């Protein structure tokens, strides 16, 4: 009985416990604060699609392939870049309607026609029009990912536009987010 | 007195304290190291704007609405994606000058004219030219956020381009960053 | 001897140690879990390039300047936004071939010709065609960074397209990622 009354927690341990508890609480409060700010850690995911079109010019709906990549990435909130890795092809978003696809091809031929007289052809190339067509349609799209899915409007679909095909081409998908 | 001299901090506590202090110091140094690398935590912010234009074709300056979203997001450094969620409208950056807006509309009509003969119209639609006009103007912009603000050049303004309007359309704003 | 047998680690310390060890283990497992999810911390990097072209219209290969920025950013995985900060100039990706550059300029003049009659010129400006040309070529590119490098296809090069130059213009580079 007398013994118990004389025992004290050593001072060094008391000081240690005091600062330790303060530190634990500060961690706790900083975590609460981070939640307020929706703090999350960043992940990235990279995927390459290989495409070899049957025709020299072709539009291919790649929406499902991009959706697969988003699922594989297991990213909940972020953005998804999809770009052609070649300079005679495009990635763009429009309507999945075969009539409109025909319209696009006719229209591109009017705006950027095939022609033997492009200066680019002095190099032995014959595809200058494909470089111009791809410029109209665009190289890339950036799509929001919300709640683990491509955050699309009602009719948005992702297309690969090939203007000088029948050979291996690559599409890059880069996802960054939570 | 004799009692005090025989008391020792139990060995297990001494070992625990030794490793604990090492661990605290390692945490401290790893935090310093992270600061060196400008480590920050990632946040995302998503907002949808609803637009219903009075005219069938119209350009609307949405810069302030995007600035509001950037402020709400409380993100200091990052990027801001703004895209039309519909495939007959655009988001683009250009000059806030009414004369130029008229020039854009005349020019788009020349490059992608209204015409009853588009293949897309076999579906009952009559807006193929709107799909083409939007392709020229672009679906999206990606803007840097620096020091909590859109990092703009002197004349950059964000526009929504409607080419088949008079109905509810949505614009998506996705912000990711610190 | 008798003394030793009566000494016990105070209950408060035993309880503290019990929860502390649980907490340390939970931290340890949460760290392992984060590694599984490729958790990384986010960094951003911002750089401005100043350009003053000798000619009024000019295409300039800026790939090396963007590569320098990516190296300075020390970001391993992420994306790189490169945009013109002025509304009469472009940033785009295409082939580094002088013949094709000439083709682009001729083609842009056909699609968006110089003309004194643009409405924009009522303001005293004379560069409406430059606004249109830049719209065709695009304001910005978003490029993936993989393994600390621009993740490019075999021929991709980044160009600055100036359509109303001979004065100071700026290009913004914003990099976000690990």
């Amino acid at each position: 009985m007398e013994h118990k009354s004389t025992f004290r927690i050593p001072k060094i341990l008391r000081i240690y416990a005091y600062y330790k508890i303060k530190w634990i609480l500060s961690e706790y409060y900083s975590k609460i604060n981070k939640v307020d700010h929706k703090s999350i850690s960043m992940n990235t995911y990279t995927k390459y699609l290989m495409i070899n079109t049957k025709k020299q010019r072709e539009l291919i709906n790649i929406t499902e392939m991009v959706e697969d990549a988003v699922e594989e990435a297991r990213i909940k909130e972020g953005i998804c870049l999809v770009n052609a890795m070649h300079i005679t092809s495009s990635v763009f978003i429009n309507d999945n309607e075969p009539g409109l696809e025909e319209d696009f091809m006719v229209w591109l031929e009017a705006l950027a026609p095939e022609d033997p007289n492009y200066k680019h052809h002095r190099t032995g190339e014959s595809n200058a029009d494909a470089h111009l067509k791809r410029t109209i349609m665009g190289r890339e799209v950036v799509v929001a990912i919300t709640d683990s899915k491509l955050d699309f409007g009602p009719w948005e679909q992702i297309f690969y536009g090939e203007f000088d095909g029948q050979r291996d081409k690559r599409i890059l998908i880069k996802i960054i987010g939570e």
Side-chain angles (χ1 to χ4, degrees), chain A residues 38-130:
Chain A
K38 295 177 291 137
S39 250
I40 51 184
S41 61
M42 205 194 90
N43 298 328
T44 67
Y45 184 76
T46 312
K47 190 177 185 178
Y48 305 92
L49 306 178
M50 184 76 85
I51 281 197
N52 191 324
T53 58
K54 283 176 196 151
K55 291 186 255 173
Q56 207 207 338
R57 293 183 198 149
E58 207 169 332
L59 303 184
I60 295 170
N61 189 332
I62 58 169
T63 312
E64 275 182 35
M65 292 183 241
V66 180
E67 283 170 349
D68 287 351
V70 171
E71 204 173 301
E72 288 152 28
R74 292 188 297 160
I75 279 171
K76 211 165 168 297
E77 295 288 325
I79 59 173
C80 174
L81 165 70
V82 190
N83 70 265
M85 298 186 78
H86 298 261
I87 51 191
T88 52
S89 47
S90 287
V91 170
F92 65 95
I93 286 179
N94 220 299
D95 199 358
N96 188 24
E97 199 281 295
L100 187 65
E101 289 177 33
E102 281 186 63
D103 293 330
F104 266 119
M105 287 308 202
V106 171
W107 179 64
L108 287 172
E109 190 57 35
L111 287 188
E114 263 190 281
D115 185 331
N117 298 316
Y118 287 113
K119 298 268 183 0
H120 184 46
H121 296 172
R122 295 180 303 198
T123 62
E125 290 284 358
S126 60
N127 61 1
D129 69 300

Side-chain angles (χ1 to χ4, degrees), chain A residues 27-43:
Chain A
E27 277 290 286
Y28 175 72
Y29 283 116
S30 84
K31 266 169 199 162
I32 285 179
N33 191 38
K34 279 177 192 169
V35 170
D36 275 353
H37 289 83
K38 295 177 291 137
S39 250
I40 51 184
S41 61
M42 205 194 90
N43 298 328

